[in-house]
Amino acid sequence: MAVKIVAGNWKMNLNRGEAQALVSEITGMLSDEVTHPVKVILFPANIYIGAIVQLTSSDHRIAIGAQNCSNKESGAFTGEVSAAMLKSIGCHYVLIGHSERRAYFGETNTLLSEKIDLAIKHLLHPVYCIGELLEDRNNKKHFDVIQNQLTEGIFHLDATAFEKCIIAYEPVWAIGTGLTASAEQAQEMHAYIRQLIEKKYGGIIAENTTILYGGSCNDQNAKELFGLKDVDGGLIGGASLKSRSFVNIIKSLP
Ligand code: PEP
């Protein structure tokens, strides 16, 4: 069975004090209100990762990830942060291919496949983000887009490496817009993704792969989304910046 996860993508938000306050509110609420085992991943800005790893070290339910890493191993790439550097400061996960990276920084599936390789090499778990534009969906191309993002970005991995990865399905038209995929749309696409994984890696790996939903997920709709057969939790943007809503979303995990 796939591990259920709620992940918070803070994007380029919060100053140091705000980030620390948010973490201590989340850890406090988790220890007061959530007794069952849950898995939570926080994705703060890189400069806070070291401090937040320290702040969360006593709660084994929380792991820390980065929002991006370089597609280069090391060297003269000013401003970049490598997978090895992230690993060395206690980071365990890395988002690869978030739609904002694809849209604003021109990241292609091929480039993302290089990042995934380096993340795996340095023992980080990639969270590979895929999702179609509204235009793709309106033109009934959404399944093709998803198949292509998987084929070109991650299906080059062998089974052992693929098992280290998490997939996040985030329809681009739902990110930060307040428009959420309907339960039918989410389940249909998650089942399709799992089917493609099964075709490539077999039934056991497909069943065990965590496939997160992302896109305007909040404490009002999380329960319905997380209750769907092929949805294994969520990647949360806006609603992860408020401790109350984020912890309520965590509590929506079945
Ligand atoms: C995201 O950016 O990964 C995301 C899901 O954002 P939001 O929840 O704000 O739509």
Side-chain angles (χ1 to χ4, degrees):
M1 225 176 95
V3 177
K4 310 275 185 201
I5 295 171
V6 171
N9 174 15
W10 293 358
K11 311 191 186 191
M12 198 172 73
N13 290 302
L14 308 175
N15 64 28
R16 184 171 72 167
E18 289 165 344
Q20 288 174 337
L22 179 57
V23 170
S24 55
E25 285 165 25
I26 291 169
T27 51
M29 287 181 189
L30 274 183
S31 69
D32 289 348
E33 302 172 23
V34 183
T35 46
H36 58 288
V38 287
K39 186 156 179 184
V40 177
I41 310 172
L42 301 177
F43 290 94
N46 284 348
I47 54 167
Y48 306 139
I49 287 176
I52 292 176
V53 164
Q54 299 291 320
L55 282 174
T56 54
S57 61
S58 61
D59 192 337
H60 62 276
R61 298 179 294 184
I62 302 178
I64 306 303
Q67 298 171 16
N68 180 34
C69 71
S70 175
N71 67 321
K72 306 288 187 220
E73 178 75 57
S74 65
F77 301 102
T78 301
E80 287 287 87
V81 171
S82 73
M85 291 171 182
L86 294 170
K87 182 68 186 171
S88 76
I89 57 167
C91 190
H92 286 103
Y93 293 84
V94 59
L95 294 180
I96 304 281
H98 189 279
S99 67
E100 289 149 19
R101 302 287 324 166
R102 292 178 188 263
Y104 306 143
F105 302 93
E107 298 195 351
T108 62
N109 292 328
T110 309
L111 176 106
L112 298 171
S113 71
E114 295 167 4
K115 295 187 179 203
I116 287 180
D117 289 343
L118 283 172
I120 299 267
K121 178 178 174 195
H122 292 288
L123 308 178
L124 294 172
H125 295 280
V127 180
Y128 182 50
C129 304
I130 55 177
E132 81 284 358
L133 304 172
L134 187 56
E135 190 188 329
D136 301 322
R137 185 165 276 269
N138 289 340
N139 292 327
K140 309 218 175 324
K141 295 257 186 274
H142 45 305
F143 293 112
D144 294 344
V145 168
I146 294 300
Q147 180 172 31
N148 201 40
Q149 289 173 339
L150 288 169
T151 305
E152 293 184 358
I154 201 168
F155 278 178
H156 63 287
L157 294 178
D158 64 24
T160 310
F162 184 81
E163 284 180 293
K164 311 267 188 288
C165 301
I166 292 170
I167 304 294
Y169 169 60
E170 301 203 295
V172 179
W173 48 271
I175 296 181
T177 59
L179 293 173
T180 315
S182 67
E184 292 72 26
Q185 289 170 326
Q187 170 54 30
E188 180 183 47
M189 188 57 89
H190 279 237
Y192 177 67
I193 293 166
R194 208 178 294 283
Q195 218 178 72
L196 293 176
I197 297 170
E198 178 171 3
K199 215 157 128 197
K200 174 77 186 171
Y201 296 105
I204 295 173
I205 290 181
E207 207 178 293
N208 291 337
T209 301
T210 297
I211 308 175
L212 303 178
Y213 169 80
S216 298
C217 185
N218 57 44
D219 55 1
Q220 301 301 304
N221 57 30
K223 208 171 183 72
E224 183 185 21
L225 288 162
F226 297 173
L228 298 169
K229 179 174 174 290
D230 288 293
V231 174
D232 304 309
L235 176 55
I236 318 299
S240 72
L241 294 170
K242 296 264 178 286
S243 52
R244 186 65 275 163
S245 61
F246 189 60
V247 173
N248 283 349
I249 293 170
I250 295 167
K251 288 161 85 174
S252 305
L253 279 174

